[in-house]
Every structure is written in structure tokens, then in C-alpha cells.
């Protein structure tokens, strides 16, 4: 199975359009290598047909930068993108769908709660459902996404519920701050031929006993790396919410991801969805050294992995 990191950053990317924090200033100036688009990966069992995990607002830019997703030579209209699996209904997971409106067939896979968000917003009607199918997926029910001609993809995907929160633009005062089933999904993605697999959790508010059991001994995991510390945005003067309030575990601390996943025997651990406020983005920072010494990798856009 081949995996390409299309984008490694959290919502807004790095640099964010209206942010002048330390990371964003460096990304615009002396350290352009810090620039990153919003979080998404592409996976393939055969290297020819690809499935995207979430449709970032930066999807057009990501496709241009990724040769694996370019149209095949000799075809006037073509795309290797066979489908998109949505793990939540946040803007940074669904807005990129609007960049795929030029009439190429593919399938959108998502929980019914997320599909209902697409259905209720008429702008997504630019994706003609006669060409772009919308396929509901269920918790703990594995499925094999299909190619545009209906043939099997060679991948098996198991969605499961993850602690998180509903998309912020759907929040209203009377509603609870915690999520409901379907708001946040994790995925186990298996190459059916080789049996190799990975886990994808771009958002996760807590590591429950069930999650610990699922992730034990995994060959590869992409895990929520939004913030280094829970009060990071407040301390930086960038926002008034903690990471927990936004549905994200911090990397550091007794309850953070580094500590929580330290003893699970995971072969390769990669943080994804990293916010512009996170000092781990600086290669020489104490935070980066701490993360890497604990066995975590900080990815860059375009990184390819074969498992």
C-alpha cells in the first residue's frame, strides 16, 4: 500500500492568511520549508487508483503538487482519484470537494451525519450525484471502496467512532460541546493483498480504552497533532479555546498523545493536522526534539510512504 501526505497542517494551513505568529512569519520569510497545506492523505493499493482521506480546501494545490494524482498521459479527461473518505464535516475536510466539480466520476464515503450536511448545503450540488455517488458508511462495519467502473480497489476500510466534537459552524448555544456518533471518525485502512494496515485519526479528543486496544501494535498511525499544549492558542493570544474544547488532544503533558501512545508498540507514529501555533514545526525547537526522541515524526507535504 502506498500513502502520500497531501497536507500536514491544521485548518488554515501554514502560514494562515491573517496570522502573524512566529511560525507564520517564518514560513513567509526565512523558512519557507515550513509552509504546509491542510491535512489530507491519499492511499492506493495498486499505485494507479487513489482514495483521498478528506477533501482539504487546498485540494487543487495538492493535486497539482502530487504527480501520482495527475491525469494519465494520452487522456483528455482523466483522474486517478477514485473516491474520497470523509472523517468529519469540518470545513477543512469537505471544502475541497468543490474543486472536483468537472464531471469525473468518483464516490464520496461518509457517515450519514456528514452526508446530511452536504445534502443540506446546495453548493455541493455542483457534484452531480449521477456521477459522484454518496455512499453512507457505518461504525465498525468494514467496506471496500470501489473504482469508477465498480471493480474492487484492493483496500478495506473500517470506520470507528473517535471522541471529538461536531463541526464548529454547526454549533449553537443549546447544543452540547461533545460530539455525537458520526461527527468524528477514525479509520483503519488495510491493503487486502499484503495485510498491511494503518490508522488515520486526524482529530481525537481522548484516548479511550477501546482506542488503546485498536491501536496496539499498529504498523503505522497518523494521529492528531494539532497543538503542543492544551492552552497553546490562549497563551499565544490567538484564540480563547483549549485544545480539548476544539476536540483535540495535545501532543505533550500527562494526558497528551506522546504519553498516551508511548507503550502501545506502534511501529511508526506520524503527527498530522499540525496547527500553525505549534512550536514542534520548528526543526530545532525543544518540542521537535522531544517529539522525535519519543518516536514521533513530523511530516511535510508530499511525503510518500510504502507499507
Amino acid at each position: 500500500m502506498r500513502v502520500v501526505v497531501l497536507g500536514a497542517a491544521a485548518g488554515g494551513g501554514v502560514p494562515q492568511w491573517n496570522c502573524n505568529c512566529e511560525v507564520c512569519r517564518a514560513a513567509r520569510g526565512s523558512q519557507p520549508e515550513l509552509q504546509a497545506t491542510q491535512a489530507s492523505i491519499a492511499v492506493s493499493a495498486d499505485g494507479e487508483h487513489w482514495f483521498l482521506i478528506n477533501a482539504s480546501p487546498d485540494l487543487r494545490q495538492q493535486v497539482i503538487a502530487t504527480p501520482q494524482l495527475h491525469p494519465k498521459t494520452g487522456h483528455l479527461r482523466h483522474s486517478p482519484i477514485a473516491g474520497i473518505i470523509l472523517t468529519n464535516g469540518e470545513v477543512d475536510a469537505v471544502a475541497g470537494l468543490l474543486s472536483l466539480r468537472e464531471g469525473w466520476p468518483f464516490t464520496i464515503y461518509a457517515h450519514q451525519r456528514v452526508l446530511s450536511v452536504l445534502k443540506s448545503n446546495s453548493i455541493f450540488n455542483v457534484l452531480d450525484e449521477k456521477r459522484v455517488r454518496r455512499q453512507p458508511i457505518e461504525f465498525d462495519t468494514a467496506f471496500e471502496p470501489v473504482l469508477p467502473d465498480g471493480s474492487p480497489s484492493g483496500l478495506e476500510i473500517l470506520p470507528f467512532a473517535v471522541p471529538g466534537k461536531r463541526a464548529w459552524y454547526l454549533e449553537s448555544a443549546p447544543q452540547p460541546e461533545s460530539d455525537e456518533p458520526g461527527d468524528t471518525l477514525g479509520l483503519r485502512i488495510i491493503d487486502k493483498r499484503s495485510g498491511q494496515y494503518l490508522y488515520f485519526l486526524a482529530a481525537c479528543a481522548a484516548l479511550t480504552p477501546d482506542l488503546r486496544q485498536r491501536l496496539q501494535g499498529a504498523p503505522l498511525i497518523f494521529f492528531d497533532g494539532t497543538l503542543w499544549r492544551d492552552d497553546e492558542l490562549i497563551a499565544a493570544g490567538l484564540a480563547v479555546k483549549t485544545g480539548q474544547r476544539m476536540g483535540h488532544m495535545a501532543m505533550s503533558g500527562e494526558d497528551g498523545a506522546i504519553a498516551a501512545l508511548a507503550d502501545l508498540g506502534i511501529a511508526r507514529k506520524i503527527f498530522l493536522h499540525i496547527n500553525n501555533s505549534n512550536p514542534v514545526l520548528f526543526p530545532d525547537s525543544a518540542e521537535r526534539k522531544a517529539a522525535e526522541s519519543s518516536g514521533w515524526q513530523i511530516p511535510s507535504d508530499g511525503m510518500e510512504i510504502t507499507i
Side-chain angles (χ1 to χ4, degrees):
M1 178 164 53
R2 294 173 62 186
V3 184
V4 177
V5 176
L6 301 179
V14 179
Q16 288 187 4
W17 71 280
N18 65 344
C19 185
N20 205 27
C21 72
E22 185 179 7
V23 171
C24 288
R25 289 198 309 272
R28 291 190 190 97
S30 61
Q31 294 180 264
E33 66 275 11
L34 297 178
Q35 295 179 14
T37 60
Q38 294 165 88
S40 176
I41 65 172
V43 296
S44 176
D46 61 10
E48 293 186 16
H49 304 91
W50 293 82
F51 292 84
L52 311 188
I53 311 302
N54 294 331
S56 153
D58 299 318
L59 182 54
R60 178 181 176 277
Q61 176 182 346
Q62 291 168 343
V63 169
I64 291 172
T66 307
Q68 297 91 328
L69 302 183
H70 291 177
K72 184 181 294 185
T73 301
H75 292 253
L76 184 61
R77 286 280 191 182
H78 173 265
S79 174
I81 298 173
I84 298 178
I85 298 95
L86 303 177
T87 64
N88 60 68
E90 291 281 4
V91 171
D92 50 340
V94 304
L97 292 172
L98 301 177
S99 296
L100 302 178
R101 62 188 183 274
E102 278 77 19
W104 185 257
F106 63 93
T107 303
I108 299 171
Y109 301 88
H111 190 273
Q112 188 57 56
R113 282 178 60 82
V114 175
L115 291 180
S116 68
V117 172
L118 303 183
K119 188 72 173 179
S120 66
N121 192 326
S122 60
I123 195 171
F124 290 102
N125 291 341
V126 298
L127 297 170
D128 183 355
E129 292 191 49
K130 294 179 181 179
R131 279 187 167 271
V132 180
R133 294 192 310 114
R134 302 182 184 186
Q135 180 68 43
I137 60 178
E138 299 292 338
F139 300 127
D140 298 316
T141 301
F143 67 95
E144 181 170 6
V146 298
L147 305 184
D149 64 1
S151 60
S153 64
L155 297 172
E156 179 184 276
I157 299 180
L158 178 70
F160 53 91
V162 175
K165 60 174 287 296
R166 70 199 323 256
W168 69 267
Y169 63 90
L170 298 175
E171 290 184 352
S172 62
Q175 293 173 321
E177 295 183 357
S178 60
D179 73 332
E180 296 181 35
D183 284 325
T184 306
L185 296 180
L187 303 174
R188 184 189 68 189
I189 305 172
I190 302 175
D191 183 321
K192 296 182 69 174
R193 180 184 57 80
S194 69
Q196 288 290 342
Y197 65 97
L198 65 87
Y199 280 97
F200 179 92
L201 297 91
C204 184
L207 194 69
T208 64
D210 175 69
L211 277 180
R212 286 182 59 87
Q213 184 176 1
R214 287 181 186 273
L215 302 180
Q216 183 83 40
L220 172 64
I221 179 173
F222 290 94
F223 197 84
D224 186 348
T226 307
L227 303 174
W228 179 255
R229 47 185 270 194
D230 189 52
D231 65 347
E232 181 174 298
L233 293 174
I234 299 172
L238 295 172
V240 297
K241 295 180 181 180
T242 63
Q244 280 292 301
R245 172 62 184 85
M246 296 188 297
H248 300 287
M249 293 177 68
M251 290 183 179
S252 66
E254 293 182 1
D255 298 322
I258 291 175
L261 279 72
D263 61 349
L264 298 186
I266 300 168
R268 189 171 184 182
K269 297 176 287 189
I270 301 176
F271 278 124
L272 197 71
H273 196 268
I274 304 172
N275 200 55
N276 61 295
S277 61
N278 195 329
V280 80
L281 290 170
F282 286 119
D284 296 328
S285 67
E287 291 83 1
R288 173 70 73 91
K289 293 175 182 177
E292 291 179 342
S293 67
S294 298
W296 286 87
Q297 185 174 359
I298 307 302
S300 57
D301 290 12
M303 184 176 75
E304 183 170 0
I305 301 166
T306 301
I307 63 171

